[in-house]
Amino acid sequence: MRVWLVGTVLLLVLGGCSVTDEYLLGDDLYERSCAVCHSGDGSGGIGLDIGTGSNTHLNLSDDQIAGVIRVGPGNMPGFSRLSDEQVESLIQYVRSLAP
């Protein structure tokens, strides 16, 4: 069951990546690549809570968040194809989710 779930999540995430993703930034990129696991408001689900109530914005530097996005810890896939501009826009968007 768990293997099926992980496989399904990977297909959803990888299936959401397309050539047009190179033009997405911030909230649009988050909705396309992150919300499937972290939910639209960042409250979590399959992925960790990174929104209101989490300390992500306090405990991690921008460089650390960029590393998480690019490499992906644990079961999270890495998004190494994202440009520096896209990663920076995701960092700013994630930080905007938590007060």
Side-chain angles (χ1 to χ4, degrees):
M1 177 71 172
R2 187 174 187 171
V3 172
W4 178 84
L5 179 63
V6 171
T8 302
V9 169
L10 285 175
L11 286 174
L12 287 171
V13 171
L14 295 175
C17 298
S18 68
V19 176
T20 58
D21 285 353
E22 68 186 88
Y23 302 108
L24 296 176
L25 295 171
D27 60 338
D28 292 328
L29 184 56
Y30 179 89
E31 281 298 320
R32 185 74 168 270
S33 301
C34 310
V36 67
C37 293
H38 295 285
S39 80
D41 64 358
S43 62
I46 296 170
L48 296 175
D49 177 354
I50 58 173
T52 302
S54 82
N55 290 323
T56 300
H57 65 293
L58 298 175
N59 295 334
L60 298 176
S61 69
D62 286 357
D63 287 340
Q64 289 171 315
I65 296 173
V68 167
I69 293 168
R70 291 195 184 283
V71 176
N75 290 329
M76 180 180 154
F79 294 91
S80 59
R81 290 192 204 176
L82 297 179
S83 70
D84 291 343
E85 179 183 22
Q86 287 177 305
V87 170
E88 180 61 31
S89 73
L90 276 176
I91 292 168
Q92 296 309 313
Y93 184 73
V94 166
R95 291 198 183 282
S96 77
L97 293 174

